Amino acid sequence: MNKPKVLVTRNIFPEWINYISDNSELDLWEDELPPPRDILLKKVKGIDGILCLLTDKIDSELMDIAGPQLKVISQIAVGFDNININEATKRKIPVGNTPDVLTSTTADATWSLLMAAARRITESERFVHQGKWKTWHPLHFLGQDIYKSTFGIIGMGRIGYEVAKRAIGFDCKIIYYDVNRRKDLEEKLPLEYVDLKTLLINSDIISLHTVLNDDTYHLIGEKELNLMKDNSILVNVSRGPVVDSKALYNALLDKKIWAAALDVTDPEPIPNDDPLLKLDNCLIVPHIASASYKTRYEMSKISAENLINGVNKKSLITCVNPEVNY
Ligand code: GLV
């Protein structure tokens, strides 16, 4: 019997590449960089399944070119704003993602970014490496305290909740905004539900954990930044376009807010000449929040299993559009 044809658009852990190749006819894109659009469109013709990344645009054009035999789209990420889910559902193609396994790792990363920004860790580390450290000084590299601060979480999903759990250990007052009030979580942790404006006005720290969609695009823009405290720190580990980068640059330059720590930017990667890169109060890392060995291994496993399940018309372990799961 012919094996199902699959395309994997980047290297994942070798064990899971082997698992895929044992169970399919595998076309693996091994470059560091994503396949260019024209090559991706050529490669999807006639495939039964694709394992893709958030850097691959999976839209109706791609699904049309792939053909009606396409049985599964397996994304190695929890977010899926690069995939047209409605189009996939219309065609009865289940879309897999990798939630849960990355929740705690991403929450840890949120805290790493926050603490580094609050205490100016990357900035002062650069200072030492540049040979500028001459003495201890009472007024050098003063930062913001996290303990006992008001911690505002936008998006109280799995990751937002894990971030909140960690804030308890720092004696923070936690307020949150979400389109859905989470009374179930309020029973487990001291979380206070507030509207967005109240959160912006009162928080010392604002951490973003929303999905990206039409409602959250530029959720944080000039108006919102103007409401924030001048000592506040904005952390974004969600998606770059949730924040209006130009407005953020102006707010950081004019010291309307104190600092930002970004795991995600708009666009990605951030261009070398982006003005945000010139600011000492803007810490930027290259979308690494889930990048621990253990978590990326689990993400490789789930996405590989979703792919192989899907091409065999078996139920995906984690599915974004369960109404068409097998
Ligand atoms: C990473 O950003 C993810 O969505 O998993």
Side-chain angles (χ1 to χ4, degrees):
M1 208 177 80
N2 284 346
K3 283 185 169 179
K5 285 189 183 165
V6 306
L7 173 65
V8 175
T9 66
R10 229 67 48 80
N11 253 318
I12 58 174
F13 271 74
E15 290 90 322
W16 296 103
I17 288 293
N18 292 341
Y19 170 75
I20 295 169
S21 82
D22 286 350
N23 289 286
S24 68
E25 190 186 315
L26 168 63
D27 182 4
L28 172 63
W29 179 261
E30 294 199 71
D31 279 19
E32 281 291 304
L33 296 179
R37 179 79 181 168
D38 56 331
I39 294 180
L40 181 63
L41 292 182
K42 269 193 201 132
K43 285 184 169 288
V44 294
K45 270 184 207 145
I47 57 168
D48 296 286
I50 181 167
L51 191 158
C52 53
L53 276 64
L54 46 85
T55 45
D56 305 314
K57 187 169 174 202
I58 310 294
D59 55 5
S60 59
E61 182 191 23
L62 181 142
M63 294 178 214
D64 280 343
I65 291 174
Q69 77 299 325
L70 182 62
K71 295 173 192 67
V72 62
I73 297 166
S74 175
Q75 165 106 328
I76 181 167
V78 65
F80 44 81
D81 45 277
N82 57 309
I83 303 173
N84 189 330
I85 302 296
N86 286 340
E87 283 296 328
T89 306
K90 240 196 265 168
R91 294 153 205 255
K92 299 201 168 21
I93 304 170
V95 177
N97 68 338
T98 60
D100 302 320
V101 290
L102 51 67
T103 302
S104 294
T105 300
T106 304
D108 286 355
T110 304
W111 273 86
S112 310
L113 286 168
L114 168 59
M115 293 172 91
R119 300 301 305 274
R120 303 173 65 174
I121 299 299
T122 50
E123 190 190 344
S124 55
E125 200 237 14
R126 281 197 295 272
F127 180 84
V128 173
H129 279 264
Q130 288 161 4
K132 293 182 181 165
W133 184 16
K134 303 285 183 245
T135 184
W136 188 91
H137 194 292
L139 299 178
H140 275 178
F141 288 109
L142 306 186
Q144 303 292 341
D145 285 322
I146 297 175
Y147 76 93
K148 291 198 171 159
S149 61
T150 298
F151 201 119
I153 296 182
I154 299 181
M156 189 50 75
R158 286 171 285 231
I159 298 170
Y161 180 71
E162 281 299 315
V163 169
K165 264 168 62 184
R166 287 154 178 72
I168 299 292
F170 283 75
D171 291 332
C172 295
K173 172 182 158 77
I174 306 165
I175 58 180
Y176 79 99
Y177 169 71
D178 193 302
V179 280
N180 300 311
R181 180 165 179 187
R182 296 297 305 269
K183 288 197 176 156
D184 56 329
L185 302 181
E186 288 173 29
E187 279 168 21
K188 297 197 219 165
L189 283 189
L191 308 174
E192 187 188 333
Y193 183 67
V194 294
D195 61 32
L196 182 58
K197 189 170 174 192
T198 307
L199 184 141
L200 294 166
I201 291 173
N202 290 291
S203 300
D204 301 304
I205 294 152
I206 295 182
S207 196
L208 301 176
H209 302 283
T210 61
V211 294
L212 172 63
N213 57 31
D214 291 344
D215 295 330
T216 60
Y217 178 80
H218 284 191
L219 182 70
I220 303 298
E222 187 185 348
K223 184 165 89 126
E224 290 72 24
L225 289 156
N226 279 338
L227 290 172
M228 288 169 61
K229 291 182 171 183
D230 59 6
N231 69 308
S232 64
I233 299 169
L234 179 70
V235 185
N236 189 9
V237 299
S238 61
R239 285 291 182 268
V242 173
V243 178
D244 175 346
S245 332
K246 283 203 183 83
L248 177 64
Y249 172 75
N250 291 330
L252 288 167
L253 188 70
D254 299 344
K255 304 273 191 294
K256 288 203 168 129
I257 71 169
W258 194 75
L262 311 176
D263 181 49
V264 288
T265 58
D266 181 22
E268 280 184 22
I270 190 166
N272 287 339
D273 60 354
D274 192 296
L276 280 173
L277 293 173
K278 300 211 160 55
L279 297 176
D280 277 335
N281 57 347
C282 189
L283 187 163
I284 305 178
V285 295
H287 203 148
I288 56 167
S290 67
S292 76
Y293 283 105
K294 193 165 152 221
T295 289
R296 287 287 167 85
Y297 182 88
E298 291 301 325
M299 290 166 70
S300 299
K301 175 176 189 291
I302 294 176
S303 56
E305 290 179 342
N306 277 341
L307 178 71
I308 296 304
N309 283 9
V311 292
N312 291 303
K313 294 197 164 190
K314 287 193 192 144
S315 185
L316 273 58
I317 305 159
T318 48
C319 185
V320 173
N321 48 355
E323 62 275 35
V324 296
N325 201 359
Y326 297 112

